[in-house]
């Protein structure tokens, strides 16, 4: 094998194993996630997500690396940002912080709410989407809520009025394979857990009391929110995608001319 071929093979193997590594980091054993319906080039979805993030999440969480005026990148005007999305005391160049101090947060919650600017890069879009679908009622937990994606999380289900309340559905199986088969058949979010006595349980959530939104509306709402969280983790990526499209178009046009030139040169030889 030539040296070049070997270098190419090694770099291909490396990039494959790195890719597999990051996918594994996101998908915990036994946890099956539904794909998040997001499109980071959809400005309207990002605007709805930004509004919902500010209304429902910024009360406890910060986004301290995100400035309000960056929202102009997703099509909002400075007036829309200051009038609809900010408190009167803040300036448009400020970052998204909250009034709650870390000391208060520690007093009120067993685990403090982390900053969410880069959360989508840590957890991934699918994880976040399913996390916001995965809350269910649990009388045994301090907040009254639990989560199938993040067991025993200290965050209460702040969107329950919209989503309604879910209950946990647990089905037991004698073998791991059967439980995993049922998880695939169930589609969407589920978790397979080992139980004492060598049994396996398939955990899913089901609506108990409906909220103000239908299931489909809530899924779209959470999709917008996750789209925004993903955008916020790397705002510049949208510019890269746009530039990439321009470059491909340019290469397409260049190809037409290069091909015409080639035919012109070879015309007499054929
Ligand atoms: C009432 C306060 C409160 C509100 C409002 C709130 N959260 Fe949380 N959140 C918390 C707390 C507390 C934690 C830490 C939980 C833990 O580590 O057990 C948390 C944790 C999280 C995590 C997991 C962080 C990690 O990787 O460990 C995510 C993601 C998250 N919140 C997203 C959101 C989103 C999105 C919203 C808006 C829809 C929101 N939160 C609204 C209190 C809140």
């Amino acid at each position: 094998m030539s040296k070049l071929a070997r270098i190419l093979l090694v770099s291909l193997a490396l990039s494959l194993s790195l890719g597999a590594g990051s996918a594994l980091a996101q998908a915990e054993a036994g946890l099956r996630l539904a794909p998040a319906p997001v499109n980071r080039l959809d400005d309207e979805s990002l605007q709805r997500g930004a509004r919902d993030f500010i209304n429902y999440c910024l009360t406890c969480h910060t986004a301290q690396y995100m400035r309000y005026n960056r929202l102009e990148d997703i099509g909002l005007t400075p007036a829309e940002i200051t009038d609809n999305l900010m408190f009167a005391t803040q300036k448009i160049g400020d970052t998204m912080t909250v009034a709650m101090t870390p000391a208060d947060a520690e007093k009120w919650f067993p685990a403090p709410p982390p900053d969410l600017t880069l959360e989508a890069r840590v957890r991934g879009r699918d994880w976040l989407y399913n996390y916001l679908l995965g809350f269910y009622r649990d009388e045994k937990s301090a907040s009254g809520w639990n989560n199938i994606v993040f067991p025993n999380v200290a965050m209460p289900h702040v969107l329950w009025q919209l989503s309604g309340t879910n209950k946990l559905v647990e089905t037991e199986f004698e073998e791991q394979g059967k439980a995993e088969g049922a998880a695939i058949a169930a589609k969407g979010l589920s978790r397979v857990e080992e139980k004492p006595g060598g049994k396996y349980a398939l955990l899913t959530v089901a609506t108990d009391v409906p909220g103000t939104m239908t299931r489909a509306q809530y899924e779209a709402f959470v999709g917008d929110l996750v789209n925004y969280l993903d955008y916020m983790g790397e705002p510049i990526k949208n510019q890269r995608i746009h530039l990439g499209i321009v470059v491909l178009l340019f290469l397409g046009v260049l190809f037409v001319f290069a091909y015409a030139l080639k035919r012109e040169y070879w015309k007499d030889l054929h």
Side-chain angles (χ1 to χ4, degrees):
M1 205 187 317
S2 78
K3 199 170 171 195
L4 181 68
R6 224 174 304 151
I7 292 174
L8 279 177
L9 262 184
V10 168
S11 52
L12 182 72
L14 261 180
S15 58
L16 281 179
S17 65
L18 284 179
S22 61
L24 277 181
Q26 283 168 23
E28 217 181 297
L31 185 64
R32 291 185 71 84
L33 302 175
V38 296
N39 170 9
R40 59 181 297 144
L41 297 181
D42 180 350
D43 277 354
E44 280 175 21
S45 159
L46 292 175
Q47 289 174 12
R48 288 192 298 268
R51 180 199 59 202
D52 298 336
F53 175 75
I54 288 165
N55 285 334
Y56 291 99
C57 316
L58 209 55
T59 35
C60 294
H61 293 276
T62 51
Q64 58 175 330
Y65 306 110
M66 177 73 185
R67 289 183 194 283
Y68 284 97
N69 55 7
R70 256 241 115 99
L71 296 175
E72 287 173 41
D73 295 356
I74 57 172
L76 292 169
T77 64
E80 282 171 333
I81 299 170
T82 36
D83 296 348
N84 305 334
L85 299 176
M86 294 174 53
F87 303 111
T89 50
Q90 291 173 311
K91 291 194 220 44
I92 193 157
D94 284 351
T95 56
M96 294 182 169
T97 48
V98 283
M100 185 165 50
T101 63
D104 281 340
E106 251 168 59
K107 230 181 321 170
W108 293 333
F109 301 107
D115 186 86
L116 291 184
T117 324
L118 301 173
E119 184 69 10
R121 289 168 78 169
V122 179
R123 297 290 198 175
R125 293 183 292 246
D126 292 348
W127 190 95
L128 286 172
Y129 177 68
N130 288 271
Y131 171 68
L132 294 171
L133 299 182
F135 282 97
Y136 62 89
R137 264 256 165 259
D138 183 358
E139 301 306 336
K140 282 183 283 209
S141 87
S143 68
W145 298 98
N146 207 331
N147 193 294
I148 196 168
V149 176
F150 189 155
N152 303 319
V153 67
M155 173 171 146
H157 183 22
V158 293
L159 302 171
W160 71 273
Q161 276 158 319
L162 311 177
S163 71
T165 51
N166 283 336
K167 59 174 190 270
L168 184 70
V169 182
E170 204 171 327
T171 328
E172 277 208 358
F173 291 87
E174 299 291 332
E175 289 162 35
Q176 189 175 8
K178 290 216 172 102
E180 269 157 18
I184 294 170
K187 295 207 178 78
L189 169 61
S190 67
R191 180 188 280 278
V192 172
E193 222 173 52
E194 199 175 344
K195 290 274 153 189
K199 294 206 168 137
Y200 289 85
L202 169 68
L203 311 180
T204 53
V205 292
T207 311
D208 198 12
V209 185
T212 53
M213 287 183 172
T214 64
R215 173 91 188 161
Q217 283 170 332
Y218 182 68
E219 283 175 0
F221 175 94
V222 170
D224 289 338
L225 201 52
V226 172
N227 204 14
Y228 175 73
L229 287 172
D230 184 44
Y231 160 79
M232 188 164 66
E234 205 179 353
I236 206 78
K237 189 168 169 186
N238 283 11
Q239 288 175 25
R240 282 211 311 274
I241 295 173
H242 284 132
L243 185 66
I245 293 171
V246 171
V247 169
L248 284 178
L249 282 176
F250 170 76
L251 287 178
V253 172
L254 190 69
F255 173 78
V256 173
F257 285 106
Y259 188 68
L261 190 65
K262 179 239 172 214
R263 287 187 53 133
E264 181 62 29
Y265 280 166
W266 287 80
K267 178 169 75 187
D268 302 334
L269 294 175
H270 280 305

